[in-house]
Amino acid sequence: MKVGHDIKMLIDGRWIEGEGPAIPVVEKWTGADLGRIRSAVVAQVDAAVAAARAAFAAVRIEPYERSRLLNRVADLILNDREAMAAMIVAESGVPWKDADNEVARAAETFRVSAEEGRRLTGEMVPIQGAAGQSGRMAYTLRVPRGVVGGISSFNSPLNMVAHKVAPALASGNAVVFKPPVATPLSATRLFELMLEAGVPGGLINLVHGGGAEVGASLAAHPGVDFFTFTGSTPVGKAIRASRGMRATALELGSIAATIVCADGDLERAAVRCAQSGFRRQGQACTSTQRLFVERSVLERFLPMFLAQVAALKVGDPRDRSTDVGPMISEAEAVRAEAWVREAEAKCARVLAGGQRRGAVLAPTVLAEVDPGAKVLCEEIFAPVLTILPFDTLDEAIERVNATPFGLAAGLFTRDLSRALKAAERLHVGVVHLNEASSSRVDLMPFGGVKDSGVGVEGPRYAMREMTEERLVTITL
C-alpha cells in the first residue's frame, strides 16, 4: 500500500474501490495528503457480508492451521515494524514511541490469539449427578458464530483492529471490518499482511466509509452474527438497538479515575498518572481524567506530579523523544480547549498547560473545578486532567462511582486489605491496584459496566464472546 494513493477495500479476496464519496486522509501533524478512501455503498457492504458468509460455509481451517496462520501474521507485522509505526504516527498523530509499542502489541495480540485458538474448548457437564441420569454423559462445545462485524476507534489504529480480527479468526469465524475514516491506513496494511500470510480472502473483508452510512449498515446487517465496536457511548447504544437479540460487544466511553491514597507510593503514582493522563494525547477511554488525591498528601504529591507533566515533550510525533503529539484533529483540540476555558470561567485554576497550537493541546492540569463543569461530567478524550482532593477512601470511591460510566480505575495504596476491599466496591470493569486507570496488558480481559459497554475483549475472552456454547448429551 502506497501512501498518497487511493486506499482500497478488500472484498472476497479482491482489492476494489468504493463507489461512494471520496474522503481524504491527512497527516495529523503536517496536514499533508496521505491518500483517499472511497466510501463503500450499501451494495458493497452487502457483498462483503455475502463473501464472508460464503467463506465461512466453504472454508474449514483446523485450529492448528489457524494458529500457524496467525503466528505468520505476527511475524509479518514485526518484519514491517518500522514502516507500520511510521504509518500510525502519520495517520493518528500518536508519538513514535507509542506507535512502535503498538506495533509490537499488535503482533502479540495475534500470537496470543493463535495460542488460545488451539485450546478453545467447552467443558464436561456432571449430568450423572442428577437423579436417574447415571446412564448419560454431557459436555459443551464452543462453536463459531459465523460472521463477525467490527468497527474500531482512531486512537489505536492497529492494535485495536488486531483485538477484533485475530480472536475472530482464531475461533473459526469470518470477518467484515470497518476502520475509522481518519485512520484507515494501518488497518488496510494489516489486511494486506493477513492475505500475504495465507489467510483465505473471503474470510477477511475490509470496507471503508463513515459511521452513519457504512458503519450503521454493517452493524444492522442481518448477515452479521456478532458485532464488536469500540467508540462513543451514544453510537454504541444505537448499534445495540439496531441489532436486537443478536450478540454484540461494545467497548464505550468513560470518565476514568485514579485514586492516590496517603499511604501509596507517591513517586510511582506521579509517574504513572502523568503517563495515564497525557500519553496518546489523553485520547484513550481509560486515560485518567479525574485524579483523586488524599488531602493530607496533596501538597507533597502535587509538585511531584506537575514535575512529571512538565517533563513531557510536546510536539512533532515523528520525533522519537516526543511524548505528546497532536490530537486527531484541530476541531477536537478546539473543543477540548473550550471545555478548559469553561472550567476557568467557573473559577478553576490551571496548574499546567491550557494552551493550544493547532491540533496540539498542551498537557493540562486543573484544580478547584466546579462539579458541574464538562471536564468532570463528560468524557473529554484529550490531554486534560483534574485534581480532586478527598478525605476518606469511602468518599473517593463514591465519587468515582457517581458517573454513568464504569470502565477502569486505578488505586495507589500500600494497605492490602484497603486495596482489595476497594476493588470490590469500585463499580468498574477493571481495577488496577498500584497502577493508573489506563494500564492494559493485551491478554487480560477488558470491558466495562454501566454506560461503558457490554462484553469483554482480550483474545481468550473475546473468543468466548465470538462463539456459541452448545450442549451435547449422550445416552449410553
Side-chain angles (χ1 to χ4, degrees), residues 270-282:
V271 173
R272 303 302 291 169
C273 292
Q275 294 174 344
S276 179
F278 303 117
R279 293 292 287 270
R280 292 183 171 269
Q281 296 71 259

Side-chain angles (χ1 to χ4, degrees), residues 256-261 265-279 282 286-293 301-302 304-309 312 324 363-365 382-387 409-412 432 434-439:
T258 297
I259 302 170
V260 178
C261 296
D265 184 335
L266 300 187
E267 291 185 2
R268 175 178 174 79
V271 173
R272 303 302 291 169
C273 292
Q275 294 174 344
S276 179
F278 303 117
R279 293 292 287 270
T286 56
S287 295
T288 299
Q289 184 173 336
R290 297 177 298 157
L291 181 54
F292 292 88
V293 182
F301 173 78
L302 202 53
M304 298 181 197
F305 176 68
L306 293 177
Q308 292 295 326
V309 175
L312 296 171
V324 180
T364 300
V365 180
V384 179
L385 177 151
T386 298
I387 301 289
L411 172 67
F412 288 86
H432 300 292
N434 295 315
E435 287 288 349
S437 59
S438 62
S439 176

Side-chain angles (χ1 to χ4, degrees), residues 17 22 50 59 93 110 121 133 179 190 193 196 200 205 218 237 318 335 347 349 363 366 373 375 407 413 475:
E17 288 191 358
V59 179
F110 269 87
T121 63
Q133 303 299 315
L190 178 60
L193 295 180
E196 185 180 335
N205 299 271
L218 178 59
K237 289 182 175 181
R318 299 169 298 184
R335 174 194 58 78
C347 300
R349 288 195 300 130
L366 302 176
V375 295
L407 186 52
T413 178
T475 299

Side-chain angles (χ1 to χ4, degrees), residues 411-426:
L411 172 67
F412 288 86
T413 178
R414 288 185 171 94
D415 186 327
L416 182 60
S417 176
R418 196 183 198 196
L420 296 181
K421 288 178 181 177
E424 292 182 359
R425 294 179 55 206
L426 286 163

Side-chain angles (χ1 to χ4, degrees), residues 107-435:
E108 182 66 10
T109 299
F110 269 87
R111 291 211 194 284
V112 173
S113 298
E115 180 63 28
E116 292 295 345
R118 296 176 66 173
R119 55 186 183 215
L120 179 64
T121 63
E123 61 184 14
M124 294 301 299
V125 178
I127 193 172
Q128 293 175 339
Q133 303 299 315
S134 60
R136 301 182 74 189
M137 62 182 295
Y139 63 94
T140 62
L141 299 172
R142 303 303 309 187
V143 181
R145 291 185 184 270
V147 175
V148 171
I151 295 176
S152 62
S153 178
F154 65 80
N155 54 319
S156 184
L158 179 64
N159 193 35
M160 195 179 293
V161 183
H163 268 282
K164 299 184 184 307
V165 173
L169 294 174
S171 52
N173 294 283
V175 173
V176 183
F177 187 80
K178 188 199 86 66
V181 295
T183 57
L185 298 175
S186 302
T188 304
R189 180 59 180 150
L190 178 60
F191 274 68
E192 289 179 348
L193 295 180
M194 286 192 288
L195 280 182
E196 185 180 335
V199 179
L203 289 179
I204 48 171
N205 299 271
L206 178 74
V207 294
H208 293 300
E213 305 83 16
V214 179
S217 176
L218 178 59
H221 201 290
V224 173
D225 302 292
F226 180 86
F227 199 81
T228 172
F229 170 78
T230 299
S232 73
T233 295
V235 174
K237 289 182 175 181
I239 287 173
R240 194 172 192 187
S242 74
R243 290 191 54 77
M245 296 292 289
R246 289 175 296 157
T248 307
L250 305 171
E251 199 265 280
L252 307 177
S254 183
I255 308 176
T258 297
I259 302 170
V260 178
C261 296
D263 65 346
D265 184 335
L266 300 187
E267 291 185 2
R268 175 178 174 79
V271 173
R272 303 302 291 169
C273 292
Q275 294 174 344
S276 179
F278 303 117
R279 293 292 287 270
R280 292 183 171 269
Q281 296 71 259
Q283 295 175 135
C285 48
T286 56
S287 295
T288 299
Q289 184 173 336
R290 297 177 298 157
L291 181 54
F292 292 88
V293 182
E294 195 160 351
R295 199 180 304 274
S296 63
V297 293
L298 183 59
E299 287 189 12
R300 190 150 54 96
F301 173 78
L302 202 53
M304 298 181 197
F305 176 68
L306 293 177
Q308 292 295 326
V309 175
L312 296 171
K313 183 175 180 179
V314 181
D316 187 345
R318 299 169 298 184
D319 182 336
R320 301 193 183 198
S321 64
T322 294
D323 298 298
V324 180
M327 292 180 62
I328 194 63
S329 68
E330 184 170 359
E332 283 299 297
V334 168
R335 174 194 58 78
E337 182 190 30
W339 288 21
V340 172
R341 299 287 89 84
E342 178 210 51
E344 278 191 290
K346 295 180 178 179
C347 300
R349 288 195 300 130
V350 179
L351 304 182
Q355 311 87 21
R356 179 185 64 82
R357 187 176 66 179
V360 178
L361 181 63
T364 300
V365 180
L366 302 176
E368 299 174 20
V369 174
D370 184 278
K374 284 184 179 179
V375 295
L376 287 181
C377 299
E378 299 180 34
E379 183 179 32
I380 193 165
F381 222 62
V384 179
L385 177 151
T386 298
I387 301 289
L388 297 164
F390 70 91
D391 294 303
T392 68
L393 183 56
D394 286 345
E395 171 202 343
I397 292 172
E398 287 177 9
R399 290 165 72 183
V400 170
N401 290 345
T403 78
F405 301 104
L407 186 52
L411 172 67
F412 288 86
T413 178
R414 288 185 171 94
D415 186 327
L416 182 60
S417 176
R418 196 183 198 196
L420 296 181
K421 288 178 181 177
E424 292 182 359
R425 294 179 55 206
L426 286 163
H427 194 190
V428 295
V430 182
V431 177
H432 300 292
L433 301 178
N434 295 315
E435 287 288 349

